[in-house]
Amino acid sequence: MFRYLLTNRQGRFLLIGTVFLIAGFLLMVTGSPLSPYIFYLAIFFLGFYAAKAAVVDTVQNKELNVDLLMILSALGASLIQFESEGAMLLFIFAAAEALEEFAMGKSTKAIEELMAQVPTTAQLLQANGDVIEVSTDQLVVGDQVVVARGAQLPIDGYVDRQVLVNEAALTGESVPAEKATNEEAFAGTINEGNAFHLTVSKLSSETIFSNIIRMVDEAQNRPSQISKFIDRFESKYVLTVLLAVPVFIAILYYQNYTFAEAFYRGMILLTVSSPCALVASATPATLSAISHGAKNGVLFKGGAAMEELSRMDVLFSDKTGTLTHGDFEVVAHEADEAVIQEVVYMEQFSSHPIAQAIINAFPNIQLDQVNRDENVEEVSGKGLRKGDLLVGKPAAFANFTDPFNMRQKIQPGYTSVFVGRQLEIIGYFNLADQVRAESKQAIEAFKASGVDVVLLTGDNYEVAAKVAREVGIEHFHADLSPEDKIKFVQESQAKGLSVGMIGDGINDAPALANAEIGIAMGSGSSIAMESSEVVIVQNDLNKLYDSYDLSHRLNRIILQNVIFSVGVIVALIALNIIGWLDLPLGVVFHEGSTILVILNGLRLLKRKD
């Protein structure tokens, strides 16, 4: 904390003001006539930034804030020769402000730690074979960079050979992932095999890590509903206090108090009525929770997202890449060689795990005979189309004839892909996927907390039933299009339920955007992350449940802070009205409550409450 104070100007002003405050008390004890002037210097340094904020908000933004009350209290105390109390008031207030800034700095540090996981330079391979070091910001799509053994990948791109990549930073999986030739690897992951060339697939500003970092940065500017309410309440409350204090002084004066006594009591009222602790009830706690989540691999796009997560009644979950690993393997297939060539060529235009599995299943296939003049188009919720050739899930082939009895060759519990041409099914692929071990634990935890978990998948009924049975989900719906998923979300919302939706693919994005709380897997598509309020960086559903639990802890702490801060204000005002409170005690109890509220919020930085 001391190092933090030394590294910014506001902190240094606090330290200088503290020195003058201590010197003022020492001179006061010795009876030196210089003590008031030293206290004035303390007031200047301790109140400089509060005065600046008061002037800016009042003049430029036309809003009143607690800084104005604190400055007026300190100046008022000085007018009646209570310079020491004025300086002490500003010292505690400035210390509380510094503590709040420290909490915000903790959240910002989470961003810096994420940024540190991605190199800022890359080894660019030039056309003449030379390798030069360049900033990752200079790389463009199509550039080739050299990734040495043990080095971090500087940018997202396609590998030129089979390699081993440690993706723990993104997926949490410690076992290195095998990347086949032309498979995409991601910035921030580590090459655990031999050196290879990486063909840049995204600009440095578009990588998965860049999107994640940007979302954490934006999170600090998206307050929760209670924070918004407190911000709106602050200005009106300050105006009320500014009007009430002169009335209170006048009442005491006409009750035969001297003006000095009435003014003194008015300054006490001005001090203890300030909603400093109330204003600090939500923001430091929320930022601490966001920082905690970031360290745990779960990123929130602001306090509102965490607030909504705590209210979640039902969680709709996609299957592939969410409950399962999404690492498919072709276990059976049937199609002519020419058809397989066309399918492998088409699947190169998709980022879906099934597409990658089909490509990996035929590493030696030749594509030189494929007609590349026809465009490959993605058919939402169905698959891919190229001319009269359609590749996709069985539900998309309901109107196709089956001259080769391909439908009978689908195996229950596997994911299947059909190939069709001119309304005839001419081929199929059966693929296997594995359930994530942590999925079952997370589902059980959510169910025990009263959250209904429902599986929504575009896969067939048998596969959905198998996965639902393995992870302990009671309700599931299969063969769904993106529009069907939105329908289920909206039906639950119509019943007054708060809906969460978790997924990783482009087809999940509409449902993620429609749900109250959209949750994306960190290794999923960019559009899924853009459509979501929460991103699970390391693809571990247990971390989502930890965040759900964290959101409830945040609500409890904010409620504690609000009740405590309001209680202190009411108690101090009552004591002042009956004449049992002096200015020094009012300062200590009021500003002390602010520090306690902030420290209570900072508890969320720790792993457990």
Side-chain angles (χ1 to χ4, degrees):
M1 181 67 179
F2 183 72
R3 181 181 297 176
Y4 169 78
L5 294 176
L6 287 174
T7 55
N8 66 86
R9 191 182 180 198
Q10 188 170 350
R12 290 193 291 270
F13 268 51
L14 172 58
L15 293 175
I16 294 170
T18 303
V19 172
F20 281 119
L21 178 67
I22 295 170
F25 278 115
L26 291 175
L27 290 173
M28 187 172 67
V29 170
T30 61
S32 172
L34 294 176
S35 63
Y37 302 103
I38 300 300
F39 282 127
Y40 290 146
L41 287 172
I43 288 173
F44 172 80
F45 283 101
L46 295 171
F48 180 83
Y49 282 95
K52 184 178 177 181
V55 170
V56 169
D57 279 354
T58 304
V59 177
Q60 292 186 0
N61 303 331
K62 295 180 174 56
E63 291 183 352
L64 302 174
N65 60 19
V66 295
D67 300 86
L68 179 62
L69 292 184
M70 292 297 97
I71 292 300
L72 291 177
S73 297
L75 293 177
S78 299
L79 287 175
I80 54 176
Q81 284 76 53
F82 281 87
E83 302 89 355
S84 60
E85 283 78 0
M88 180 59 71
L89 167 64
L90 291 179
F91 165 72
I92 302 177
F93 181 71
E97 288 278 298
L99 194 58
E100 188 169 354
E101 288 292 326
F102 178 72
M104 294 180 69
K106 283 287 187 179
S107 183
T108 303
K109 188 177 179 182
I111 303 172
E112 295 171 350
E113 288 175 353
L114 282 172
M115 292 178 68
Q117 296 186 47
V118 184
T120 57
T121 60
Q123 303 298 314
L124 176 64
L125 179 64
Q126 296 184 304
N128 61 6
D130 292 341
V131 177
I132 61 172
E133 184 173 278
V134 299
S135 168
T136 53
D137 294 338
Q138 297 177 253
L139 296 174
V140 297
V141 175
D143 280 347
Q144 278 201 330
V145 298
V146 179
V147 183
R149 180 182 180 90
Q152 282 185 298
L153 276 65
I155 201 161
D156 292 3
Y158 302 107
V159 301
D160 69 335
R161 68 199 68 182
Q162 185 170 334
V163 297
L164 283 176
V165 179
N166 187 327
E167 297 184 326
L170 278 177
T171 66
E173 177 58 60
S174 59
V175 178
E178 289 189 10
K179 296 288 181 178
T181 304
N182 294 325
E183 187 173 354
E184 191 171 27
F186 306 108
T189 57
I190 301 172
N191 174 23
E192 294 201 352
N194 295 322
F196 63 89
H197 294 165
L198 186 75
T199 302
V200 177
S201 61
K202 297 187 186 79
L203 300 178
S204 63
S205 60
E206 298 171 345
T207 65
I208 287 179
F209 256 112
S210 294
N211 287 331
I212 288 170
I213 291 165
R214 177 176 49 77
M215 286 185 288
V216 178
D217 197 17
E218 291 174 352
Q220 298 183 40
N221 300 314
R222 297 183 182 178
S224 62
Q225 292 298 319
I226 190 168
S227 294
K228 290 179 180 177
F229 171 78
I230 290 174
D231 288 342
R232 291 193 301 267
F233 171 80
E234 179 183 356
S235 182
K236 295 181 177 64
Y237 180 84
V238 169
L239 178 60
T240 302
V241 172
L242 290 175
L243 294 174
V245 168
V247 173
F248 180 68
I249 293 173
I251 291 173
L252 292 180
Y253 182 72
Y254 285 107
Q255 287 183 346
N256 298 322
Y257 283 85
T258 66
F259 178 76
E261 292 172 333
F263 190 82
Y264 178 77
R265 295 272 294 278
M267 291 304 97
I268 297 175
L269 179 63
L270 187 61
T271 301
V272 301
S273 298
S274 174
C276 299
L278 183 61
V279 170
S281 294
T283 301
T286 301
L287 291 175
S288 296
I290 290 174
S291 178
H292 181 147
K295 291 177 181 177
N296 197 38
V298 180
L299 308 180
F300 289 86
K301 296 183 182 179
M306 185 164 281
E307 189 175 62
E308 194 61 55
L309 181 62
S310 69
R311 293 198 290 261
M312 186 171 65
D313 299 307
V314 57
L315 174 62
F316 290 115
S317 176
D318 179 44
K319 177 185 71 68
T320 304
T322 304
L323 297 177
T324 65
H325 286 282
D327 295 330
F328 286 93
E329 180 182 359
V330 175
V331 295
H333 73 282
E334 184 175 322
D336 291 340
E337 181 75 10
V339 172
I340 294 176
Q341 290 175 356
E342 290 281 357
V343 171
V344 171
Y345 172 75
M346 291 170 65
E347 296 293 6
Q348 291 178 355
F349 290 83
S350 173
S351 60
H352 196 282
I354 289 178
Q356 193 61 53
I358 293 176
I359 295 170
N360 294 341
F362 305 97
N364 300 318
I365 197 163
Q366 301 297 316
L367 304 180
D368 51 337
Q369 300 300 316
V370 174
N371 180 5
R372 301 171 186 267
D373 294 332
E374 294 178 315
N375 292 328
V376 178
E377 302 173 340
E378 183 163 347
V379 183
S380 180
K382 293 183 178 180
L384 299 172
R385 184 185 298 278
K386 176 176 175 281
D388 61 356
L389 195 68
L390 178 66
V391 180
K393 62 183 182 180
F397 295 81
N399 297 326
F400 282 57
T401 61
D402 188 13
F404 305 105
N405 297 319
M406 297 294 181
R407 287 192 176 97
Q408 297 179 12
K409 298 174 183 179
I410 292 178
Q411 300 177 35
Y414 289 97
T415 297
S416 298
V417 172
F418 278 163
V419 186
R421 174 179 283 148
Q422 297 178 350
L423 296 179
E424 286 187 353
I425 299 174
I426 58 174
Y428 82 94
F429 298 85
N430 282 339
L431 302 97
D433 193 8
Q434 290 185 339
V435 169
R436 294 182 186 275
E438 63 272 12
S439 296
K440 184 175 181 180
Q441 300 171 358
I443 299 304
E444 289 176 351
F446 274 116
K447 288 167 64 176
S449 299
V451 177
D452 184 24
V453 184
V454 181
L455 171 61
L456 302 181
T457 179
D459 221 325
N460 63 66
Y461 180 89
E462 288 79 10
V463 172
K466 179 175 180 290
V467 172
R469 185 169 56 252
E470 288 186 28
V471 300
I473 292 179
E474 298 173 8
H475 305 107
F476 64 90
H477 304 277
D479 294 314
L480 301 181
S481 67
E483 292 76 15
D484 293 329
K485 293 183 179 182
I486 295 175
K487 180 181 176 182
F488 280 104
V489 169
Q490 293 175 339
E491 286 177 351
S492 295
Q493 291 170 332
K495 297 175 184 177
L497 300 176
S498 180
V499 177
M501 172 70 197
I502 181 169
D504 73 328
I506 295 174
N507 62 323
D508 299 315
L512 290 170
N514 275 269
E516 276 84 2
I517 184 75
I519 305 153
M521 304 298 273
S523 62
S525 66
S526 297
I527 191 171
M529 287 194 283
E530 290 290 342
S531 304
S532 302
E533 287 74 39
V534 180
V535 177
I536 308 175
V537 179
Q538 297 184 339
N539 296 352
D540 186 345
L541 284 187
N542 280 324
K543 294 183 181 295
L544 177 62
Y545 179 77
D546 290 342
S547 294
Y548 174 78
D549 181 59
L550 179 67
S551 68
H552 283 278
R553 290 165 52 198
L554 172 62
N555 286 349
R556 288 196 301 270
I557 282 182
I558 290 177
L559 182 61
Q560 292 168 5
N561 286 347
V562 169
I563 292 174
F564 175 71
S565 58
V566 171
V568 169
I569 290 173
V570 171
L572 293 178
I573 289 175
L575 289 172
N576 182 44
I577 289 173
I578 61 179
W580 289 4
L581 187 69
D582 59 17
L583 187 55
L585 281 179
V587 168
V588 171
F589 283 120
H590 180 266
E591 293 305 312
S593 69
T594 303
I595 292 176
L596 289 176
V597 160
I598 295 171
L599 290 174
N600 194 37
L602 288 177
R603 289 195 298 136
L604 287 171
L605 289 170
K606 297 181 179 180
R607 299 287 297 186
K608 290 187 179 181
D609 197 308

